[in-house]
Amino acid sequence: DDLWELIASGIEHADVILCIISDYYFQSKSCRHELIYATDSLQKIIIPVILEDFKPKGWIGIRISGMKYVRFHTIKQLDEEIVTDLLETILSTLPSTKSSDEKISHLNNQLSTKDEIDKWFLHHHISIQLRDLYDFQTEEEIIEYGKELIENYDKHWQIYSNAFMKKFNGEQLLPHEFQRFFQAIQQLIDNKKIN
């Protein structure tokens, strides 16, 4: 297919457009055309994601002036707080009568896709490494594991702290991270009992 047609179609069908802004983006004439098409022709919602130490200037500085943006100071290891901030920024821009908190809270009630499971981990500030270690594919897997975890917390702490060290080159799983994960699963199970 024609690449420009695919790009145009993606822009046209998007509810929100994330512009990943770096020096490369600033230098790219194609990126400039895409942003102008999205803002001027289609009047799309744009969320700039500024990478590392790039300082918006010139045409991009003018285009994103006044927009709420998110900055990733490093792209080597993403800060979960900033990823959550980005998610909340995206959700807050979507047209809806629900508040951003309500939009996020539905994640506890509906984990039918891998993407929703990833968002659940982000919402509860559970480390990306822990998410990768467990690699849950369904809500049922989370709930079934959660029941076992509730019954025997110490056993699972030992198993997964060892597995974490093996997978992440000797890095230790911090107790408060595992506790946060435990509490999120407990909350998910409790919410399922209520519903």
Side-chain angles (χ1 to χ4, degrees):
D1 289 332
D2 180 359
L3 180 61
W4 284 107
E5 283 298 320
L6 291 172
I7 291 170
S9 176
I11 292 170
E12 290 160 4
H13 291 94
D15 292 317
V16 175
I17 296 173
L18 300 180
C19 289
I20 311 300
I21 299 176
S22 63
D23 191 53
Y24 176 80
Y25 187 94
F26 174 69
Q27 301 295 332
S28 169
K29 289 183 180 175
S30 298
C31 291
R32 182 190 293 206
H33 291 300
E34 293 165 17
L35 183 60
I36 290 170
Y37 179 61
T39 56
D40 295 359
S41 300
L42 302 176
Q43 298 179 336
K44 292 289 185 172
I45 297 167
I46 307 292
I47 299 174
V49 178
I50 302 172
L51 298 183
E52 298 178 329
D53 295 327
F54 180 76
K55 291 181 176 60
K57 58 190 173 208
W59 72 269
I60 193 72
I62 292 169
R63 288 280 172 183
I64 68 170
S65 178
M67 291 182 184
K68 179 167 175 36
Y69 67 89
V70 176
R71 178 179 293 276
F72 285 94
H73 291 283
T74 179
I75 56 175
K76 291 183 178 114
Q77 185 174 10
L78 297 180
D79 182 332
E80 289 180 53
E81 258 184 62
I82 295 173
V83 172
T84 300
D85 184 38
L86 176 60
L87 177 61
E88 289 175 351
T89 301
I90 292 167
L91 291 174
S92 71
T93 63
L94 295 174
S96 174
T97 56
K98 293 180 180 176
S99 72
S100 149
D101 286 343
E102 290 172 315
K103 289 176 192 171
I104 289 175
S105 73
H106 90 281
L107 296 175
N108 279 331
N109 299 320
Q110 188 180 38
L111 300 174
S112 55
T113 68
K114 182 79 170 106
D115 186 50
E116 288 168 347
I117 291 169
D118 290 347
K119 288 177 185 173
W120 178 82
F121 271 84
L122 283 172
H123 172 67
H124 290 285
H125 304 284
I126 301 167
S127 79
I128 292 168
Q129 292 168 313
L130 205 52
R131 180 189 68 202
D132 292 345
L133 182 65
Y134 279 93
D135 193 32
F136 292 118
Q137 300 297 309
T138 66
E139 180 178 71
E140 290 76 28
E141 285 181 8
I142 298 172
I143 290 173
E144 287 307 311
Y145 173 73
K147 290 175 184 174
E148 291 180 33
L149 177 60
I150 290 167
E151 283 184 31
N152 202 337
Y153 180 92
D154 291 334
K155 174 185 170 188
H156 288 277
W157 161 251
Q158 284 299 322
I159 291 170
Y160 281 96
S161 60
N162 289 335
F164 191 93
M165 284 180 75
K166 278 184 183 175
K167 182 165 182 142
F168 300 108
N169 303 319
E171 194 174 326
Q172 290 190 352
L173 174 58
L174 299 174
H176 75 277
E177 292 268 350
F178 193 75
Q179 182 63 29
R180 185 182 302 148
F181 172 63
F182 173 73
Q183 288 171 338
I185 287 182
Q186 246 183 338
Q187 182 183 12
L188 178 66
I189 291 171
D190 290 345
N191 286 346
K192 290 299 169 185
K193 287 178 186 174
I194 292 169
N195 295 333

